[in-house]
Amino acid sequence: MSESAMTGGEALVRALAVHGTRTAFGIPGTHNLEIYRHLDRYRIAHVTPRHEQGAGYAADAYARVSGCPGVAITTTGPALLNIAAAVGQAYSDSVPLLVVSPGMPLRHPRLSTGLLHEMRSQTETMRGVAAFSHRVSSVEEIGAAVARAFTLFGTERPRPVHIEIPLDLLEAAEPVGDVQLRPPYVPTVPHAAVVREAAGTLRAARRPALVLGGGARRAGAECLALAEELGAPVITTANGKGIVAETHPLSLGVSLHSPAVQRWLADRDAVVAVGTELAESDLWSAGPPTLNGTLVRVDLDPAQMYGGLQAGHPLVGDASAALRALLAACRQHGPGAASGPGRDDAARTDVVRLRGQRDAETAGRDARWVPFLHAVRSVLDADAIITSDSAQCCYYGALPHLPVGPEGRFLHPTGFGTLGYALPAAIGAKTAVPGRQVVALSGDGGFQFSVQELATAVQSRLSLPVVVFDNGGYGEIRDEMAARGDAPVAVDLAPVDLPALARAYGGRGERADTPAALADALTRALAAPVPTVITVPEETAR
């Protein structure tokens, strides 16, 4: 092993580069300049958002789209706290996000000294939202900490990680050896006997179904093959949207929130759940779903077999590898109880009926968005990426009513449910795949959480449409107050001319009062070299 002296900042950047990092998001500050000094030398590009929370959301989306871990750099104290909400979102959605920051010096006293950005414990704070927070104690240890993070990203359920480097170590030059690399990873496969038992249950089932979550994202082909083999309709969570094309005759899309679909699911005699918690954020109601049939659970995380609904057949392992083994075992069993010439026809008839029932349940509420979302879909390429926000137009509108296939992506902040995700996430996605169409969908309330990131998109010269449905405030909370019989308080926001604000940042702005006008505006926005904010006043859509 060769040794040479280098600073902590260079040791960090070298380790990131060796692990494949090509882009980082962040904001330079007094304490992290030694990191920034080395980015260009190691050919790591950098995007500078206008707020650290934006850096976190952008890195999150970069990871979801590229398949590579997202990397964000902050300075100490308030900057790290600013990114904590994005780290919490990445934890909720199982996104591999690495946040690196300086920390107080190695021998910093326990008692406060008034040092710039001093706080009691950065690591304890980040442990509340990340998989772990690793404070290194030497320059040599930095490489091991980075390798530890990338090992977690590749071998376990991916979660965000924080690495803290004492600010004196960033500047100190110490002897270091070769970069430690994460070990090779062979996807885990469930035990063959467990797979055979699960296949036997599925072959005996007359009414099977598949539920796909974000953990099935890299196993789309296997999911579709199993669904077609079993004649099983497919439902997805928000994070699983588009894993199986939502136009496929077996696809129910994002439908777990539908009472009709929940009743139908309860009547299935076997349910295969892949990479999903089956949690409140998936069902939009408290508690796990009612399942009267046998649950076959496929998940990389063993804890998922025992939380909420326990698995009748627990298949712990990589989704692709596990499903390939399960499909092979099902085929070895031969035709099942549900086999026969009418099997597929019955399943597809179920899907058509349930889609209609799902949409009828919320037709009065969703009618304001559906024609506009159809207009969006009509303009976009099949592989377009759509980023979403915690807004009514997104979770009530786009999740069930804007179809996506496996060529495209729909990025939604599920579970943790942060506001302001859509715009910075779109920046991260467009940075990862600049040749693909990327469109952000938001409401006026959520959009203003991160509206300053328009400046980032302008500076980066991103062709980026941002469609904002404007209902004059926090519409969901306004409706919840009304449902309680309360007078609306603090939910109505003063109107803002968002297209004019976009122009002030150096972008473009338009208003679309009809679906046709939105399609035209979106077409122009996709051809523009800068971001375009397109507002849809919701009173015109009602």
Side-chain angles (χ1 to χ4, degrees):
M1 180 180 72
S2 60
E3 284 198 352
S4 59
M6 63 176 58
T7 67
E10 183 176 2
L12 170 68
V13 175
R14 181 185 69 153
L16 292 175
V18 168
H19 281 89
T21 301
R22 297 294 174 261
T23 301
F25 301 82
I27 300 176
T30 298
H31 287 161
N32 65 13
L33 297 182
E34 182 62 21
I35 298 173
Y36 279 85
R37 168 182 287 180
H38 299 283
L39 292 177
D40 186 60
R41 177 184 172 189
Y42 286 91
R43 298 182 180 179
I44 296 179
H46 187 269
V47 177
T48 308
R50 300 310 189 257
H51 190 278
E52 287 86 4
Q53 194 172 122
Y57 294 146
D60 169 300
Y62 181 94
R64 298 193 200 203
V65 171
S66 70
C68 302
V71 174
I73 302 169
T74 79
T75 191
T76 41
L80 189 62
L81 292 181
N82 283 343
I83 206 172
V87 175
Q89 188 62 62
Y91 189 93
S92 176
D93 288 347
S94 301
V95 176
L97 170 64
L98 173 59
V99 175
V100 293
S101 77
M104 293 297 102
L106 272 176
R107 292 181 174 80
H108 189 68
R110 291 285 183 180
L111 295 177
S112 174
T113 65
L115 189 66
L116 178 67
H117 299 331
E118 183 181 55
M119 58 183 287
R120 291 174 61 192
S121 175
Q122 293 189 156
T123 55
E124 288 303 314
T125 297
M126 297 305 290
R127 282 171 186 153
V129 289
F132 64 79
S133 177
H134 186 148
R135 176 177 164 92
V136 303
S137 57
S138 68
V139 174
E140 177 71 25
E141 189 184 350
I142 292 171
V146 172
R148 178 190 178 195
F150 278 82
T151 299
L152 179 146
F153 296 151
T155 60
E156 302 178 28
R157 182 179 182 179
R159 301 283 206 184
V161 168
H162 170 235
I163 295 176
E164 177 178 293
I165 305 173
L167 59 92
D168 50 345
L169 284 184
L170 278 177
E171 302 285 347
E174 296 180 2
V176 294
D178 297 334
V179 176
Q180 297 188 52
L181 289 172
R182 67 178 181 184
Y185 171 63
V186 177
T188 54
V189 183
H191 193 279
V194 179
V195 173
R196 286 195 299 270
E197 291 171 1
T201 294
L202 294 177
R203 275 310 191 197
R206 295 182 178 276
R207 302 180 307 281
L210 267 67
V211 180
L212 309 181
R217 174 62 57 189
R218 296 178 182 275
E222 293 84 354
C223 290
L224 179 57
L226 183 62
E228 291 178 338
E229 177 71 23
L230 300 175
V234 177
I235 311 169
T236 73
T237 67
N239 281 339
K241 182 175 174 66
I243 290 176
V244 168
E246 293 182 305
T247 55
H248 191 283
L250 286 175
S251 175
L252 281 164
V254 181
S255 298
L256 282 174
H257 60 283
S258 163
V261 172
Q262 289 181 15
R263 291 191 297 270
W264 173 86
L265 192 63
D267 187 50
R268 301 302 91 193
D269 53 358
V271 175
V272 182
V274 186
T276 173
E277 295 172 326
L278 292 173
E280 177 183 359
S281 58
D282 301 318
L283 280 77
W284 303 355
S285 59
T290 299
L291 296 183
N292 296 316
T294 302
L295 176 61
V296 179
R297 202 152 201 174
V298 180
D299 208 291
L300 189 62
D301 185 358
Q304 293 304 312
M305 304 301 167
Y306 315 106
L309 291 172
Q310 293 189 17
H313 296 291
L315 274 59
V316 178
D318 173 82
S320 293
L323 289 173
R324 284 196 297 271
L326 183 59
L327 183 62
C330 285
R331 288 170 174 165
Q332 288 174 359
H333 269 275
S339 299
R343 175 193 66 174
D344 287 346
D345 289 344
R348 295 177 185 206
T349 299
D350 261 359
V351 168
V352 172
R353 173 179 58 82
L354 287 164
R355 284 176 181 169
Q357 291 178 345
R358 176 200 69 186
D359 294 345
E361 289 167 349
T362 57
R365 180 195 66 198
D366 299 352
R368 72 184 83 167
W369 304 297
V370 171
F372 288 88
L373 295 169
H374 287 172
V376 170
R377 182 72 273 173
S378 72
V379 172
L380 296 184
D381 294 339
D383 68 349
I385 297 165
I386 301 160
T387 65
S388 173
D389 221 324
S390 288
Q392 290 180 313
C393 59
C394 297
Y395 46 75
Y396 293 146
L399 278 176
H401 300 300
L402 200 163
V404 173
E407 307 94 337
R409 285 297 302 271
F410 190 95
L411 311 185
H412 185 71
T414 311
F416 207 52
T418 52
L419 282 165
Y421 178 84
L423 173 56
I427 292 169
K430 191 69 173 176
T431 302
V433 284
R436 288 168 64 178
Q437 294 176 341
V438 178
V439 175
L441 298 180
S442 191
D444 58 302
F447 178 58
Q448 292 183 75
F449 271 56
S450 56
V451 67
Q452 71 278 354
E453 301 306 343
L454 284 171
T456 309
V458 168
Q459 184 172 358
S460 299
R461 302 293 291 176
L462 299 182
S463 175
L464 188 62
V466 184
V467 180
V468 181
F469 288 82
D470 189 344
N471 61 15
Y474 302 120
E476 176 68 20
I477 308 306
R478 182 193 293 133
D479 291 350
E480 290 182 14
M481 287 178 171
R484 290 164 49 93
D486 299 343
V489 176
V491 291
D492 295 319
L493 303 180
V496 176
D497 188 342
L498 296 175
L501 183 59
R503 290 190 288 270
Y505 274 113
R508 299 175 64 255
E510 298 196 37
R511 172 181 167 128
D513 293 318
T514 66
L518 176 57
D520 290 343
L522 186 55
T523 300
R524 289 188 292 271
L526 288 166
V530 292
T532 303
V533 172
I534 307 168
T535 57
V536 179
E538 281 206 9
E539 65 269 18
T540 67
R542 291 179 185 270

